[in-house]
Amino acid sequence: MLKYLLVVLARDATSFCHYEAGGRRRGGADMIPLDRLEAAVLFALKNNLKVNFLYPGRRLGRAYDKLVESVDHVKIVPFAARSGHPGAILVVESSEIPGAADLAGLRGENFILRLRRADLPLLAAALKRLLPRAKRINVVLADVAGCGEAEYAEYRRQLEKILPEVLKLAARPDPPELNVLTDRLALGRMNNCEAGLAHLTVGPNGRLYLCPAFYYADPHESLGEIRGEIGIGNRRLLELKCAPICRICDAYQCKRCVFLNRALTLELNTPSAEQCRLAHVEREASRLYLGRLRESGSGEGLADIPEIAYQDPFDVAVEKKMSIADFKKL
Amino acid sequence: MSSVKNDPVKIETDRSWEASRSKNVTFVVTEDCQLRCRYCYMVGKNKAGRLKFDVARRAIDYLLGARDLVTEPSVVWDFIGGEPFLEVELIDRICDYFKVRAYELDHPWFERYRFSFSTNGLLYNDARVQRYIAKNSSHLSVQITVDGTRAKHDLQRVYPDGRGSYDDVARNIPRWLEQFPKSSTKVTVSSDDIPRIKESVLHLWGLGIKEVNINVVFEDVWKPGDDERFEAQLMALADETIDRRLYETRSCSFFSKTIGAPYVDNNNWCGAGRMLAVDHRGNFYPCVRFLGFSLQKRPALTIGNCLDGLDRNRLRPFLTLDMVSQSPEECLDCGVATGCAWCQGANYDFADTRTIFQRSVAICRMHKARVRANNYFWNRLGRKLGRDLRAEPRGGEGAGPC
């Protein structure tokens, strides 16, 4: 069931996930047309949808602001453009980690840290700087394709390195959440992105997409115009039950990004080795964190994260097919 | 007169060599063919797409070297086209190269390999082809496609000018059966062929081809009433087979003990992805149906190439594909589901979106018709022989030829 709508206000709006946004076209109409934005807002109002507006690093103008404010929403803005957007989710690029002065005065923020492979060795340091200011941090690896053993090992090292800091902050009355470390502890089932199921995206051309990544990959591959009935071909392939690898997996914090799935394996319902391996590095780090929490006398009520012998659930899925009876229970 | 207890029942087709234990590698040696068969899925035939020895050599080198990914204990090298025997000298070089390299590398495949051909049979008596056969006969299987009677064969298997090819193929059959007495042929049934099924299977058996692999096309070509006509043909074939005791020495893949039950296993029907096809550019494909010239709507789907090797990520959907993830609810609940086939390449080509996870149900009514006729066959034969044949161990395997 649709719960919210993402609206990409301009072609150069910030990316908040595994895709790269487009640049501004010189003299090009790269802002969402007002009538299309109005249609998106109306669609949200009529379908009880919250809207996430993706902002570029510039002002849009009064007419745009007025429409944005006419609906329940969240703003996602580049860190540098945070002024004038209190309560917005702030996107931080790992190549531009804010300095202490920039962070001064910030409290209880929601950050998205877009991490590049080249910056992996800086992850723990970046988190150490952001965590005290954060209510929540979502770490997103921007360039997943091509990750190998060196990257998995570095990612593991960095998560283990930040663990004491997260543990220290856990004693706070309002401990910050770190998606790749703390989410798995609170989850008893998959908590994926659910593009196409829980949310859709309106691109800056005013057309609908499964998520912003699909717009940037190919603007022509849209789901069509904003209207009452939205047809997604083979929609079932977005669902967990039709994903043979994911439905047997317990890396519940994984985004199960259908865009990366399709980009790397050509199928919406099949994750790449990179996605699975990274999610299992996070799962293992979460298991370690849970152990430390318990050692420190907290963590009561949290379910165990079992130790497993594999790093990629593909190895399990390929060995043993789910029974028909079990499939029907899903 | 022998007791009924000893009546042999041969009707089910035998398992293939090293069934499911071997790596099946298909070299598409040419995209050209002398024929323009009307039902052929290779819709883009051309003279330009010819495999070069160097590309084949690289592919063999890669496959012999990639022991972590290619773990099967044996190999079947399939040569197809188009028409593979158009390139028999190239094939001979490829086979020699494989044998030498496998020996040099002390690769287990040196002891366990076969060369396999699906041919239209027109060049079977060509001296170069015969030289190749003589040289490799102990590791060779050759299947000539004869579609049945002249009328049925010439309805579909025609030259570019529309002439039928039956006579040109039929004259080569005696020599083929002399050299490969256990050979089978593969028959494809489309809508127009239905009235000729019975006579065609009997005709092929009469020619001395003891094993007839036959299947309906997977494309959505079926017209209203085709299923009833199909059922009637199979029942007539069943009667003839039983009355003339042909079941003792002949087999036809339409009749099988294992079809027509609800699903128990959640296995994929097709081996795409576990097999491998190589084209003239050195690209790897999950099977030949994923090459550009086999597809009508979708782009070619590669899973690597002979320089970079297999793309493990692109293999993941194929290796985890199961029946439940691609089938509509009606198939999961079908009471006669087993034996209902599909082709992953055709599914991909005709799916609503670009996916291998949407099973085509175009043959649903045809499968149900086959099941009814198959039940009739086994029940009639069982009564004749005085025993429940379907309770006995089966001879053949569920998945038929594709």
Side-chain angles (χ1 to χ4, degrees):
Chain A
M1 185 185 152
L2 278 184
K3 294 176 190 158
Y4 61 103
L5 194 65
L6 279 152
V7 178
V8 185
L9 291 168
R11 199 169 166 274
D12 58 331
T14 184
S15 168
F16 70 109
C17 206
H18 300 290
Y19 66 93
E20 295 306 322
R24 284 185 73 177
R25 293 194 191 99
R26 194 181 301 171
D30 56 2
M31 299 261 293
I32 186 168
L34 274 170
D35 62 326
R36 300 281 72 207
L37 178 58
E38 190 173 5
V41 166
L42 265 177
F43 182 79
L45 289 168
K46 288 197 279 189
N47 291 279
N48 300 320
L49 305 178
K50 262 205 150 80
V51 185
N52 288 3
F53 289 107
L54 289 166
Y55 273 75
R58 57 195 160 101
R59 295 268 173 237
L60 298 179
R62 198 168 298 173
Y64 282 89
D65 294 341
K66 195 176 165 191
L67 274 172
V68 166
E69 296 304 329
S70 67
V71 64
D72 282 353
H73 69 274
V74 171
K75 296 185 178 85
I76 301 175
V77 304
F79 183 82
R82 66 193 179 282
S83 165
H85 296 299
I89 296 171
L90 306 177
V91 179
V92 174
E93 298 287 341
S94 63
S95 53
E96 298 166 355
I97 302 297
D102 292 320
L103 292 166
L106 294 180
R107 288 283 178 279
E109 302 292 346
N110 284 300
F111 292 107
I112 292 171
L113 175 57
R114 289 192 75 238
L115 178 70
R116 287 174 200 290
R117 285 210 319 257
D119 298 327
L120 263 169
L122 310 174
L123 175 60
L127 288 172
K128 195 167 182 177
R129 192 174 294 175
L130 294 174
L131 272 165
R133 313 282 174 184
K135 180 180 173 189
R136 178 175 174 85
I137 302 177
N138 278 359
V139 175
V140 180
L141 191 62
D143 44 359
V144 164
C147 273
E149 295 303 329
E151 284 83 5
Y152 305 137
E154 184 60 35
Y155 193 35
R156 189 175 305 117
R157 258 194 305 276
Q158 291 296 316
L159 291 182
E160 287 176 17
K161 204 169 163 184
I162 196 63
L163 218 146
E165 184 69 14
V166 178
L167 201 59
K168 190 174 81 186
L169 293 168
R172 278 190 352 194
D174 55 342
E177 296 170 357
L178 175 58
N179 67 331
V180 294
L181 209 55
T182 65
D183 279 8
R184 177 59 183 78
L185 276 60
L187 294 169
R189 60 191 174 117
M190 278 290 181
N191 182 47
N192 312 131
C193 162
E194 303 221 298
L197 298 174
H199 59 91
L200 287 170
T201 289
V202 181
N205 57 1
R207 295 177 73 80
L208 281 167
Y209 298 86
L210 286 178
C211 83
F214 286 91
Y215 161 76
Y216 288 106
D218 183 0
H220 302 292
E221 206 184 307
S222 82
L223 304 173
E225 301 291 333
I226 306 165
R227 53 176 173 262
E229 282 300 308
I230 297 152
I232 300 175
N234 274 316
R235 184 180 179 277
R236 65 188 179 84
L237 296 180
L238 300 170
E239 295 169 9
L240 183 63
K241 73 182 289 187
C242 281
I245 297 174
C246 306
R247 70 184 175 219
I248 60 161
C249 178
D250 73 345
Y252 299 139
Q253 84 295 339
C254 175
K255 290 177 93 70
R256 204 165 74 81
C257 170
V258 295
F259 170 71
L260 282 180
N261 287 0
R262 208 196 56 176
L264 299 179
T265 71
L266 305 182
E267 291 287 350
L268 288 169
N269 65 344
T270 309
S272 64
E274 291 95 321
Q275 289 160 268
C276 291
R277 289 291 305 274
L278 290 164
H280 278 72
V281 169
E282 293 161 6
R283 182 195 182 279
E284 187 55 22
S286 302
R287 204 175 69 82
L288 200 63
Y289 175 57
L290 178 61
R292 298 274 176 86
L293 263 181
R294 285 175 174 169
E295 284 166 16
S296 70
S298 52
E300 62 281 352
L302 294 173
D304 286 345
I305 301 173
E307 193 166 6
I308 50 176
Y310 58 87
Q311 297 172 304
D312 182 345
F314 167 80
D315 297 334
V316 180
V318 84
E319 279 304 313
K320 194 173 185 296
K321 300 278 187 271
M322 175 178 270
S323 75
I324 299 169
D326 285 346
F327 177 80
K328 285 186 169 181
K329 285 179 204 160
L330 293 175
Chain B
M1 190 175 135
S2 62
S3 85
V4 288
K5 275 284 179 215
N6 295 326
D7 275 334
V9 177
K10 169 78 177 68
I11 193 71
E12 288 188 285
T13 50
D14 288 333
R15 287 166 182 266
S16 61
W17 180 77
E18 291 274 293
S20 78
R21 295 181 66 239
S22 59
K23 185 76 180 173
N24 194 293
V25 184
T26 303
F27 279 117
V28 184
V29 292
T30 176
E31 294 178 2
D32 191 17
C33 183
Q34 311 97 309
L35 300 181
R36 292 294 179 271
C37 302
R38 294 190 170 105
Y39 52 49
C40 185
Y41 58 81
M42 294 176 177
V43 289
K45 293 199 180 72
N46 63 86
K47 290 191 184 299
R50 180 183 176 272
L51 184 69
K52 289 188 169 57
F53 173 73
D54 207 41
V55 170
R57 182 181 58 77
R58 283 204 187 104
I60 289 168
D61 285 347
Y62 171 74
L63 291 166
L64 291 179
R67 294 207 199 179
D68 59 329
L69 265 176
V70 185
T71 56
E72 290 85 349
S74 56
V75 64
V76 176
W77 299 100
D78 250 322
F79 296 97
I80 68 164
E83 168 49 39
F85 282 141
L86 288 171
E87 297 292 344
V88 68
E89 284 160 326
L90 167 71
I91 290 167
D92 192 24
R93 279 186 78 194
I94 293 170
C95 293
D96 284 352
Y97 182 76
F98 159 70
K99 286 179 273 187
V100 170
R101 282 305 288 151
Y103 176 78
E104 286 170 346
L105 294 167
D106 195 23
H107 195 287
W109 284 357
F110 179 70
E111 302 286 346
R112 306 189 68 77
Y113 70 89
R114 282 184 89 76
F115 301 131
S116 171
F117 289 80
S118 272
T119 170
N120 60 30
L122 296 175
L123 289 172
Y124 192 80
N125 273 322
D126 181 283
R128 291 164 305 170
V129 172
Q130 283 300 315
R131 264 199 308 276
Y132 173 85
I133 288 170
K135 181 173 164 182
N136 293 285
S137 59
S138 60
H139 287 274
L140 202 56
S141 61
V142 179
Q143 181 181 266
I144 292 181
T145 302
V146 200
D147 242 4
T149 58
R150 178 184 285 104
K152 175 173 174 347
H153 185 99
D154 285 350
L155 195 67
Q156 303 286 1
R157 302 186 65 79
V158 295
Y159 289 98
D161 64 5
R163 277 180 305 119
S165 61
Y166 178 85
D167 290 337
D168 295 337
V169 179
R171 74 170 61 100
N172 294 331
I173 288 172
R175 189 173 193 181
W176 169 52
L177 291 175
E178 186 188 316
Q179 291 173 328
F180 299 97
K182 291 184 177 174
S183 282
S184 62
T185 191
K186 184 176 168 303
V187 180
T188 306
V189 175
S190 193
S191 181
D192 296 342
D193 305 313
I194 291 171
R196 297 184 173 86
I197 292 172
K198 182 194 88 168
E199 66 187 39
S200 289
V201 174
L202 293 172
H203 176 77
L204 294 168
W205 283 345
L207 289 176
I209 302 167
K210 292 180 180 169
E211 186 172 306
V212 175
N213 290 310
I214 184 163
N215 65 278
V216 297
V217 297
F218 294 107
E219 286 78 3
D220 193 4
V221 298
W222 306 106
K223 303 183 186 103
D226 275 353
D227 53 334
E228 285 102 341
R229 286 188 282 277
F230 182 52
E231 185 181 337
Q233 278 289 309
L234 293 193
M235 284 176 67
L237 177 62
D239 287 337
E240 199 85 35
T241 304
I242 293 167
D243 295 343
R244 291 167 53 190
R245 297 175 64 129
L246 296 168
Y247 57 84
E248 293 179 358
T249 55
R250 301 289 191 263
S251 70
C252 170
S253 62
F254 270 149
F255 299 123
S256 166
K257 291 175 189 171
T258 59
I259 73 161
Y263 281 128
V264 177
D265 298 319
N266 175 24
N267 293 322
N268 192 25
W269 176 270
C270 155
R274 295 173 197 280
M275 307 182 285
L276 186 75
V278 186
D279 76 353
H280 66 278
R281 294 179 188 88
N283 286 324
F284 294 160
Y285 299 84
C287 93
V288 72
R289 287 296 297 260
F290 288 88
L291 270 77
F293 84 138
S294 300
L295 295 162
Q296 294 178 38
K297 282 171 56 185
R298 299 261 173 241
L301 194 160
T302 63
I303 51 169
N305 61 65
C306 62
L307 292 176
D308 304 322
L310 285 162
D311 182 329
R312 293 173 193 234
N313 276 337
R314 288 194 179 188
L315 273 174
R316 285 163 76 95
F318 288 95
L319 299 182
T320 54
L321 184 61
D322 56 8
M323 186 269 297
V324 295
S325 305
Q326 62 185 311
S327 300
E329 203 72 32
E330 64 185 295
C331 297
L332 304 190
D333 296 328
C334 177
V336 295
T338 55
C340 184
W342 62 84
C343 163
Q344 224 64 58
N347 286 357
Y348 168 73
D349 204 8
F350 299 113
D352 297 332
T353 60
R354 190 177 160 170
T355 183
I356 58 170
F357 282 84
Q358 185 188 334
R359 173 178 168 184
S360 165
V361 291
I363 67 160
C364 174
R365 294 172 67 86
M366 302 300 284
H367 170 70
K368 286 171 178 167
R370 177 192 171 197
V371 167
R372 290 190 293 272
N374 187 63
N375 290 342
Y376 169 83
F377 172 81
W378 289 105
N379 287 321
R380 238 208 92 190
L381 183 59
R383 288 196 58 80
K384 175 180 174 168
L385 301 181
R387 61 187 203 259
D388 181 1
L389 294 162
R390 294 176 103 174
E392 295 174 2
R394 68 183 196 225
E397 190 41 63
C402 57

